[in-house]
Amino acid sequence: MSYSTTERAFPECIASTNSTTYPTSVSKSPQQQRAVSDSSTLASADSHLQCRKGSNFFKSAQWSSDGTTILTSSEDNKFRTFVLPTDLLEPSEEPHPLTSYCASVAPEPAYASCLYPYFNLQDSRTTIHLSSPRDHPISLLSTIFPSDGKVNPKLSSYPLIHAPTETYLTPHSLIFTASGTHFLAGSDSLISLFDISRTGGPPVTQLPTIPSKRKKLVGGGVGMKGIVSALASSNSLSAGDEQQTASILLAAGTFTRHVGLYDAEGSGGCVSLFSVSGDGSSARDEDHSSSRGSGAGITQLSWSNCSRYLFVSERKSDCVIVYDIRVAGKRLGRLTGRNAQTNQRLGVSIFHTQDGGDEVWAGGVDGVVRVWKHAIEVEGESKPDWEWKAHDEKAKPPFATESFRIVAYKVIELQQQ
């Protein structure tokens, strides 16, 4: 669906990292890696290092809660902090340049990261984020202090260890609790709760998503087996209300395409479990699953403004599935036409409008951002209400490689609201 500029004012790019600063793309990175692998000379070590430094396309980008800072993770295992210029909304013929304020290096690729929910650039105590590097403890890092050898941005570490093998478990999802004093980590069939004040300490509690791994049928057919790849807390309470934490629901999704709902923000019991595989009503649904929104694992969960509906995003799926959690497992509808047939984690953003509604924005591999304005008001399949071309690159996930052009457009929408 296309719209002319006379029908709708399209978002305008007001800031960008530009293509010259971070030139490496998803399509070019494998070519660089093959070039290094084919070289067997001793001098290739320098070439490998240089290649690694150049392979820095963005894999994710997160807004800080105060709207001043963007945190990115890149293919070169670096977290970069971008502080938005103060003249961002002033008229300019060209987009404002975005340059990295500081960067910290992870020892291994980070599977998940999470900004502190009460981030305030004026208070250095709140400018922190979590990271889960592979085969390492979970790290609490400073977002505004670089790792230049003089200042160590790591403030604390939290080991998550598999006791029988004494190996580190690497979480694929991280989320702070509403109070900001604890955080949850999702790993293989396990959700762990940590207290950020207990440096180097084990989890306060652990919530297995299956009863046991020793049964012949793993879990005995109960619970949800698989890596917990997405976590999201409902918005039913104002942040920081610890006395009523019990009414906050935690949604957990797995790569095996299951969703679990837990009360007390993950500290309580399991409220409901359901699968997003087809409709589950007949074999015919499985035969036509590709056209009905079947994916290859949940990568993101998002709550509606009223916390009655849950948006489920998957990799290799052209749909965002909407569920009514008041009747757990009831599929309300599908937001079709996303064009996200890729294993990359393509982000989906939910904007809460002034009238209490929800607007869904999603990027595709064709460089197009699509918008569904009335995501929870229409049952069945729903096509985008409008769309616009974010960039001209082909077959490149925009949220993974052109993150700043996307978020720059988004900030315009938020300012208008």
Side-chain angles (χ1 to χ4, degrees):
M1 184 181 297
S2 61
Y3 291 83
S4 66
T5 55
T6 58
E7 294 175 339
R8 182 180 182 92
F10 283 87
E12 177 186 356
C13 180
I14 58 174
S16 174
T17 57
N18 299 317
S19 60
T20 57
T21 307
Y22 305 98
T24 306
S25 65
V26 174
S27 59
K28 293 179 181 178
S29 183
Q31 300 174 5
Q32 292 181 338
Q33 298 297 334
R34 284 195 296 270
V36 172
S37 300
D38 293 341
S39 177
S40 58
T41 62
L42 184 62
S44 65
D46 294 334
S47 301
H48 177 79
L49 179 61
Q50 187 64 31
C51 170
R52 190 66 179 174
K53 290 181 178 179
S55 300
N56 55 359
F57 60 83
F58 299 115
K59 296 194 294 184
S60 67
Q62 302 177 53
W63 276 110
S64 63
S65 58
D66 63 352
T68 63
T69 307
I70 299 171
L71 175 69
T72 71
S73 64
S74 304
E75 200 271 343
D76 59 357
N77 297 345
K78 285 187 178 181
F79 284 97
R80 291 180 172 84
T81 301
F82 293 80
V83 178
L84 300 185
T86 56
D87 58 346
L88 181 66
L89 298 180
E90 295 182 5
S92 176
E93 294 182 359
E94 298 292 334
H96 294 272
L98 284 175
T99 56
S100 175
Y101 177 79
C102 66
S104 59
V105 183
E108 293 287 339
Y111 287 0
S113 60
C114 178
L115 272 169
Y116 188 62
Y118 306 113
F119 187 103
N120 182 359
L121 191 60
Q122 305 301 320
D123 186 356
S124 60
R125 296 172 301 176
T126 65
T127 55
I128 54 178
H129 68 275
L130 291 167
S131 169
S132 59
R134 182 178 60 198
D135 299 330
H136 284 74
I138 303 169
S139 300
L140 182 67
L141 305 168
S142 171
T143 308
I144 60 174
F145 289 108
S147 58
D148 56 1
K150 299 178 181 179
V151 178
N152 185 0
K154 181 183 289 188
L155 305 176
S156 182
S157 62
Y158 309 91
L160 181 59
I161 298 175
H162 183 242
T165 59
E166 296 185 349
T167 57
Y168 286 114
L169 295 175
T170 305
H172 282 66
S173 54
L174 295 168
I175 184 175
F176 279 97
T177 60
S179 64
T181 59
H182 296 72
F183 69 88
L184 293 154
S187 54
D188 188 6
S189 303
L190 182 66
I191 300 174
S192 304
L193 176 67
F194 289 86
D195 185 341
I196 62 173
S197 65
R198 298 176 61 178
T199 302
V204 177
T205 60
Q206 290 187 312
L207 179 65
T209 60
I210 54 176
S212 173
K213 289 187 176 182
R214 294 186 177 182
K215 293 186 178 182
K216 184 176 181 180
L217 176 62
V218 177
V222 180
M224 57 178 190
K225 174 193 173 184
I227 294 174
V228 180
S229 53
L231 294 170
S233 295
S234 64
N235 308 313
S236 57
L237 295 176
S238 59
D241 193 348
E242 297 181 2
Q243 297 180 350
Q244 302 183 44
T245 300
S247 63
I248 299 180
L249 283 178
L250 174 73
T254 66
F255 282 141
T256 55
R257 309 190 68 206
H258 287 82
V259 175
L261 301 178
Y262 302 88
D263 59 7
E265 203 173 9
S267 300
C270 179
V271 176
S272 177
L273 290 172
F274 58 92
S275 172
V276 300
S277 302
D279 283 339
S281 57
S282 66
R284 184 174 180 271
D285 289 334
E286 298 297 328
D287 295 338
H288 295 81
S289 60
S290 61
S291 63
R292 300 178 66 90
S294 177
I298 297 172
T299 56
Q300 184 177 337
L301 296 172
S302 305
W303 288 91
S304 65
N305 190 31
C306 61
S307 293
R308 298 174 182 172
Y309 305 96
L310 187 67
F311 300 93
V312 179
S313 307
E314 296 187 85
R315 57 188 180 184
K316 302 196 74 172
S317 172
D318 289 335
C319 299
V320 176
I321 312 175
V322 186
Y323 285 91
D324 186 344
I325 62 101
R326 293 171 295 181
V327 183
K330 178 183 177 182
R331 183 175 297 174
L332 180 68
R334 297 180 182 85
L335 309 182
T336 61
R338 182 185 172 199
N339 196 0
Q341 289 292 334
T342 175
N343 281 320
Q344 299 284 337
R345 283 180 178 250
L346 295 191
V348 174
S349 297
I350 313 296
F351 293 100
H352 305 315
T353 59
Q354 293 179 345
D355 59 359
D358 297 277
E359 200 171 271
V360 178
W361 291 47
V365 297
D366 54 357
V368 174
V369 174
R370 296 169 176 85
V371 180
W372 294 263
K373 292 188 63 177
H374 309 286
I376 61 176
E377 299 177 11
V378 180
E379 293 189 14
E381 293 190 356
S382 177
K383 295 182 178 180
D385 291 289
W386 62 285
E387 61 186 37
W388 49 278
K389 188 77 171 178
H391 64 87
D392 296 327
E393 295 276 355
K394 299 292 185 180
K396 184 189 296 186
F399 279 88
T401 60
E402 298 287 344
S403 300
F404 287 107
R405 299 193 179 187
I406 302 300
V407 297
Y409 292 125
K410 285 182 180 177
V411 75
I412 283 289
E413 183 71 16
L414 290 173
Q415 291 292 337
Q416 288 176 348
Q417 292 178 358

